[in-house]
Amino acid sequence: MLAGKVINEVDSARDLGVIYNKKHSNSNHFQTIYNKLHSRVMWIKKRLWNRDIKYLTMIWNALCGSIITFGLASWGRPTRTQIQKLQGLQRTFFLDAEECTNCEAQI
């Protein structure tokens, strides 16, 4: 109880933008980050796709890099699967961007 009110037990909580769960695992925080990144990648592809690779790299760093690095120290040690998921998203983004740039150059 706090100030006469019952505090409900929850599975996870957010503190300064970092999500913690009962097991002190980073899985909830990681999934939130991954979903946010995926959403931003889709937004970039819809609105800014036919641009130079240097421009897309700058956009990635500005819109996605900050999400990855925020709260990184509090993640603990990311699992191999989590790292591979993030790398896969980044790799797909840049491979698609290269293909798009090459197609534009051929036209």
Side-chain angles (χ1 to χ4, degrees):
M1 291 186 86
L2 181 66
K5 294 183 181 179
V6 176
I7 300 173
N8 295 329
E9 188 174 323
V10 295
D11 292 329
S12 63
R14 181 184 302 249
D15 183 28
L16 298 174
V18 179
I19 301 170
Y20 299 95
N21 64 18
K22 288 180 183 180
K23 298 177 183 177
H24 302 286
S25 162
N26 65 4
S27 60
N28 294 41
H29 185 70
F30 174 81
Q31 194 58 48
T32 300
I33 286 172
Y34 182 82
N35 292 343
K36 210 179 271 192
L37 279 173
H38 190 267
S39 172
R40 293 218 178 158
V41 166
M42 293 299 111
W43 184 87
I44 292 167
K45 283 185 172 186
K46 282 183 181 178
R47 290 168 180 80
L48 305 171
W49 201 238
N50 292 324
R51 303 287 198 278
D52 181 63
I53 189 68
K54 289 179 185 177
Y55 179 77
L56 291 173
T57 301
M58 183 180 68
I59 293 296
W60 171 273
N61 290 335
L63 298 180
C64 300
S66 59
I67 293 172
I68 294 170
T69 57
F70 177 76
L72 192 60
S74 65
W75 284 24
R77 186 175 181 176
T79 66
R80 177 174 281 143
T81 304
Q82 290 172 335
I83 292 169
Q84 289 171 342
K85 244 180 133 173
L86 287 176
Q87 287 174 335
L89 185 61
Q90 185 178 25
R91 187 177 304 113
T92 300
F93 176 84
F94 283 105
L95 287 175
D96 290 351
E98 280 287 335
E99 286 178 18
C100 181
T101 303
N102 291 338
C103 290
E104 290 293 318
Q106 291 174 2
I107 294 177

